[in-house]
């Protein structure tokens, strides 16, 4: 049974808001994150939502580097919190692009991934997650009128003798404003520790997402982040780490 982490979710939100403003990142334990999301909107289709990770397509771009990852991608437009009725709108399917400044492994190319399935994009669970990002990150930047928001479903696979690489580009920034990394599932794997580094390179924190709903919140303008490789505990069995990554970049700031 799920036990609430704090009898006052608003108090917990204020604490994490303060941490984000102060240090540029935060680790939110599963119970707290689930409370936040449940207080934002419905999660009644969570099992169907998480099951969709079994249908992710291979990342052909990363396979060229001998690494194993599955993913789907979608772009949304989120109104800022100053809108009278902040809306969430899915955008036409488009490539994911990062410059070499942010992704030395696969930068300066348009990468076309299989789209997030309509049933997933329209699910209560994803819409609740996006609404939470809209409100939480919007409170950190209330002058932003619209956010360009990318959604990535990732499955990192570890195989016998071949660790999985959650961040094959190494320690990096994504070239956005804010990032949410939400753990969906991890099976038969060890490690996968997230480290956070200041812009001068020194480490300022680390943690491991181990339970569904464990989450990392990152101010991408202020810190670097990376995740250590994951290895199969039992090489004879399938091993994977499933996460949802949501990035927000100001698309229409107030002038």
């Amino acid at each position: 049974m799920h036990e609430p982490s704090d009898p006052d979710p608003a108090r917990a939100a204020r604490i994490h808001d303060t941490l984000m403003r102060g240090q540029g990142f935060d680790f939110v334990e599963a119970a707290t994150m689930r409370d936040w999301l449940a207080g934002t909107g419905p999660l009644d289709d969570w099992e169907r939502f998480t099951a969709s990770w079994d249908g992710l397509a291979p990342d052909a771009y990363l396979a060229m580097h001998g690494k194993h990852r599955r993913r789907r991608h979608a772009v949304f437009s989120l109104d800022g919190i100053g809108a009278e009725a902040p809306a969430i709108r899915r955008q036409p399917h488009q490539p994911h692009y990062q410059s070499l400044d942010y992704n030395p492994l696969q930068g300066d190319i348009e990468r076309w991934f299989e789209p997030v399935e309509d049933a997933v994009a329209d699910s209560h669970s994803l819409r609740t997650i996006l609404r939470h990002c809209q409100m939480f990150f919007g409170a950190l930047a209330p002058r932003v009128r619209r956010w360009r928001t990318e959604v990535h479903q990732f499955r990192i696979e570890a195989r016998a003798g071949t660790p999985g690489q959650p961040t094959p580009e190494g320690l990096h920034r994504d070239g956005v404003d804010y990032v949410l990394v939400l753990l969906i599932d991890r099976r038969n794997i060890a490690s996968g520790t997230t480290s956070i580094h200041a812009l001068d390179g020194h480490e300022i924190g680390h943690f491991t997402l181990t339970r569904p709903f464990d989450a990392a919140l990152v101010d991408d303008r202020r810190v670097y982040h990376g995740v250590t490789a994951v290895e199969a505990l039992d090489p004879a069995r399938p091993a994977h780490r499933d996460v949802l990554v949501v990035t927000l970049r100001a698309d229409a700031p107030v002038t």
Side-chain angles (χ1 to χ4, degrees):
M1 179 184 298
H2 166 62
E3 296 292 338
S5 61
D6 194 312
D8 181 1
R11 173 182 173 275
R14 289 193 297 271
I15 291 172
H16 290 282
D17 176 274
T18 299
L19 289 171
M20 278 291 294
R21 293 179 188 274
Q23 61 189 15
F25 76 97
D26 194 17
F27 166 62
V28 185
E29 293 185 346
T32 296
M33 194 68 198
R34 184 175 178 122
D35 283 349
W36 282 4
L37 294 176
T40 301
L43 296 169
D44 53 313
D45 56 5
W46 183 257
E47 289 187 6
R48 290 194 301 276
F49 174 67
T50 60
S52 69
W53 266 254
D54 291 333
L56 301 189
D59 181 342
Y61 299 93
L62 196 59
M64 291 186 293
H65 297 273
K67 303 179 188 299
H68 306 289
R69 176 164 69 185
R70 297 179 182 273
R71 69 190 295 174
R72 288 184 182 269
H73 172 249
V75 178
F76 291 80
S77 176
L78 275 57
D79 287 343
I81 61 172
E84 183 175 345
I88 297 172
R89 308 174 188 86
R90 187 172 186 177
Q91 302 300 295
H93 191 52
Q94 54 197 271
H96 175 55
Y97 178 84
Q98 293 173 297
S99 73
L100 280 171
D101 292 335
Y102 292 103
N103 190 331
L105 182 65
Q106 296 179 309
D108 283 356
I109 59 173
E110 291 187 343
R111 287 181 287 164
W112 287 90
F113 300 111
E114 289 297 313
V116 170
E117 295 176 327
D118 290 344
V120 176
D122 295 332
S123 67
H124 291 167
S125 292
L126 182 60
R127 293 291 169 146
T128 291
I129 292 166
L130 291 177
R131 182 73 67 190
H132 176 76
C133 290
Q134 185 179 44
M135 304 310 293
F136 182 84
F137 293 126
L140 297 174
R143 291 176 60 83
V144 173
R145 292 190 290 114
R146 188 170 60 250
W147 299 97
R148 185 181 191 277
T149 302
E150 295 192 52
V151 169
H152 306 262
Q153 293 179 279
F154 284 110
R155 169 166 287 181
I156 308 302
E157 298 175 332
R159 303 183 180 185
T162 307
Q165 300 286 345
T167 54
E169 65 272 43
L171 196 65
H172 69 285
R173 291 189 294 157
D174 289 333
V176 297
D177 291 303
Y178 298 107
V179 181
L180 164 71
V181 182
L182 182 69
L183 184 70
I184 301 298
D185 187 33
R186 54 183 284 155
R187 297 286 179 91
N188 186 36
I189 60 168
S191 194
T193 297
T194 299
S195 63
I196 307 292
H197 297 248
L199 296 182
D200 65 6
H202 79 276
E203 183 178 315
I204 56 176
H206 64 271
F207 47 84
T208 304
L209 307 181
T210 59
R211 295 172 296 174
F213 290 101
D214 275 351
L217 307 174
V218 177
D219 184 336
D220 193 63
R221 302 160 302 178
R222 297 170 55 195
V223 298
Y224 290 92
H225 66 280
V227 185
T228 61
V230 295
E231 298 183 357
L233 293 169
D234 180 353
R237 294 170 47 228
H240 64 252
R241 177 183 187 262
D242 293 350
V243 298
L244 178 76
V245 174
V246 181
T247 66
L248 284 76
R249 188 181 72 202
D251 196 32
V254 173
T255 57

